[in-house]
Amino acid sequence: MASPFIEIEVGERTVKVTNPDKVLFPTAGYTKRDQVGYYLSVGEGIVRALRERPTQLRRFPDGIEGEQVYQKRVPEKRPEWVEAVRVTFPSGRHADELCVTELAQVVWAANLAVIDFHPWPSRRADTEHPDELRIDIDPQPGTDFGDAKKVAVLVQEVLAEIGYTGWPKTSGNRGIHVACRIEPLWEFPVVRRCALAFAREIERRAPDLVTTAWWKEERGQKVFIDYNQNARDRTIASAYSVRARPDAAVSAPVTWAELPDVETEDFTLVTMQPRFAALGDVQAAIDDSVCDLRVLLEWVERDKAAGVGEAPYPPNFPKMPGEPPRVQPSRARKAE
């Protein structure tokens, strides 16, 4: 027997949604139809967050309590209007990843039980040069979202001091992400070094609260600023992406003014819909504020002059051909 389906008009496209009443979030009872409805309701925001970016897909064909499929390659069998962008891996292999340019493509992916979307910080025109610096505020065991919000206040202060505009959002889990648009002039290792220089400055100002320590066991009960989210092939959940949690929490863009009073659980597949209807995309101007990465490059040089070296990569982290030698992590010295 053929699977039940509905057809939804999304702009100029007709998108087929199969098994619309399949439950994806058993605790809350939310179905595929509910998730598709959510992405339709925040369409302008999710498309802005994903536009022209190679995007990896986190799929849960049997719902969030079933097996997950972290899919880099967009299915070859797809409508001709579902676009892709080719990226190359250190092995020399390549993948054609989803490249969103319109809302129908998001709905098409949601039909495949994609719960959350993980875009690159670069765009199709030049995938090797990010146009986004990502500040990932990640609470460690013994700390919580409240601690992350305290760090975010300091992040905002430092960004303002250097003339940067940062755009915060909840991660949809324990942490906070802050995005800063930059010119796509620098490769990933350079942007990563700048993210580390920024993280170290935050650590200097709040050493009892913030850490950039490499090894987890050295971080203690502090908030880690994960500069490695700026490394090539690393992705984070996009703004407006649903997360695979029982409550269907959403990675929610917020304003700096409201951040101190929000909680991750405030933003779900259900509650974000009236919020977006009332406020629209609170990050609609994100592409209008481009920050000068050279400010942080000066901080990188400052750290070098002070004898604070390059941060190591994970021992098995893929290395692109022609990339300079990397520092490897060692437990014999303080992780940087």
Side-chain angles (χ1 to χ4, degrees):
M1 181 179 297
S3 299
F5 68 90
I6 57 175
E7 291 185 331
I8 300 176
E9 299 301 317
V10 187
E12 299 178 353
R13 316 295 185 191
T14 299
V15 184
K16 184 176 181 179
V17 177
T18 58
N19 295 314
D21 295 320
K22 174 181 279 189
V23 176
L24 298 180
F25 299 86
T27 299
Y30 301 145
T31 65
K32 186 190 289 187
R33 187 195 303 264
D34 294 325
Q35 177 168 263
V36 167
Y38 163 74
Y39 279 125
L40 287 170
S41 75
V42 299
E44 179 186 349
I46 187 69
V47 170
R48 179 175 289 110
L50 299 176
R51 186 180 298 279
E52 296 281 346
R53 300 187 184 280
T55 299
Q56 298 169 9
L57 310 174
R58 194 169 175 226
R59 298 177 55 208
F60 291 81
D62 298 316
I64 65 167
E65 294 182 359
E67 182 180 357
Q68 68 169 301
V69 179
Y70 199 81
Q71 186 168 328
K72 292 187 176 182
R73 292 171 172 81
V74 68
E76 291 186 9
K77 186 178 180 181
R78 62 182 188 271
E80 51 85 21
W81 44 264
V82 174
E83 299 184 39
V85 53
R86 178 158 293 186
V87 296
T88 302
F89 302 122
S91 64
R93 300 176 65 187
H94 63 264
D96 294 326
E97 298 191 1
L98 177 66
C99 186
V100 168
T101 58
E102 59 179 290
L103 181 56
Q105 298 156 347
V106 176
V107 176
W108 169 84
N111 176 58
L112 299 180
V114 173
I115 300 295
D116 42 1
F117 296 82
H118 287 247
W120 283 40
S122 58
R123 303 193 195 239
R124 174 163 56 182
D126 189 349
T127 60
E128 296 305 316
H129 293 82
D131 73 337
E132 182 173 275
L133 174 77
R134 293 174 171 175
I135 303 167
D136 182 7
I137 304 170
D138 183 12
Q140 301 300 290
T143 61
D144 56 21
F145 189 71
D147 296 306
K149 290 192 289 185
K150 294 176 184 176
V151 176
V153 170
L154 185 54
V155 166
Q156 182 191 17
E157 291 175 357
V158 175
L159 289 175
E161 287 177 14
I162 61 176
Y164 274 33
T165 301
W167 302 86
K169 68 180 181 71
T170 66
S171 70
N173 197 8
R174 288 169 45 85
I176 296 169
H177 300 151
V178 181
C180 298
R181 288 289 189 263
I182 59 174
E183 292 181 281
L185 301 176
W186 294 274
E187 295 180 339
F188 283 94
V190 176
V191 177
R192 177 180 176 270
R193 284 195 292 271
C194 289
L196 172 58
F198 183 88
R200 283 172 168 161
E201 179 62 24
I202 302 299
E203 182 181 30
R204 291 185 189 101
R205 299 191 185 196
D208 294 331
L209 179 61
V210 177
T211 180
T212 60
W214 177 256
W215 298 106
K216 289 183 178 180
E217 59 268 30
E218 294 179 352
R219 294 174 189 167
Q221 295 185 8
K222 297 182 181 181
V223 176
F224 178 51
I225 298 184
D226 189 358
Y227 51 88
N228 275 314
Q229 296 299 351
N230 294 274
R232 192 182 186 279
D233 292 343
R234 290 291 178 93
T235 61
I236 58 176
S238 77
Y240 298 104
S241 181
V242 182
R243 306 307 308 274
R245 289 175 29 137
D247 60 353
V250 170
S251 183
V254 294
T255 65
W256 286 111
E258 65 184 335
L259 181 59
D261 298 319
V262 306
E263 300 295 338
T264 297
E265 294 75 20
D266 294 341
F267 309 104
T268 70
L269 179 153
V270 170
T271 62
M272 274 296 289
Q273 297 187 48
R275 172 182 167 85
F276 196 92
L279 300 179
D281 183 6
V282 297
Q283 295 190 351
I286 189 171
D287 292 318
D288 298 336
S289 302
V290 180
C291 307
D292 187 352
L293 196 68
R294 288 170 294 188
V295 175
L296 293 183
L297 285 170
E298 293 178 0
W299 287 13
V300 171
E301 294 304 316
R302 179 190 67 183
D303 284 350
K304 286 182 181 178
V308 181
E310 174 79 32
Y313 281 84
N316 297 319
F317 195 84
K319 184 171 180 289
M320 291 298 291
E323 186 177 326
R326 292 173 170 173
V327 175
Q328 293 301 323
S330 170
R331 297 180 189 268
R333 58 181 174 86
K334 183 181 182 295
E336 295 169 347

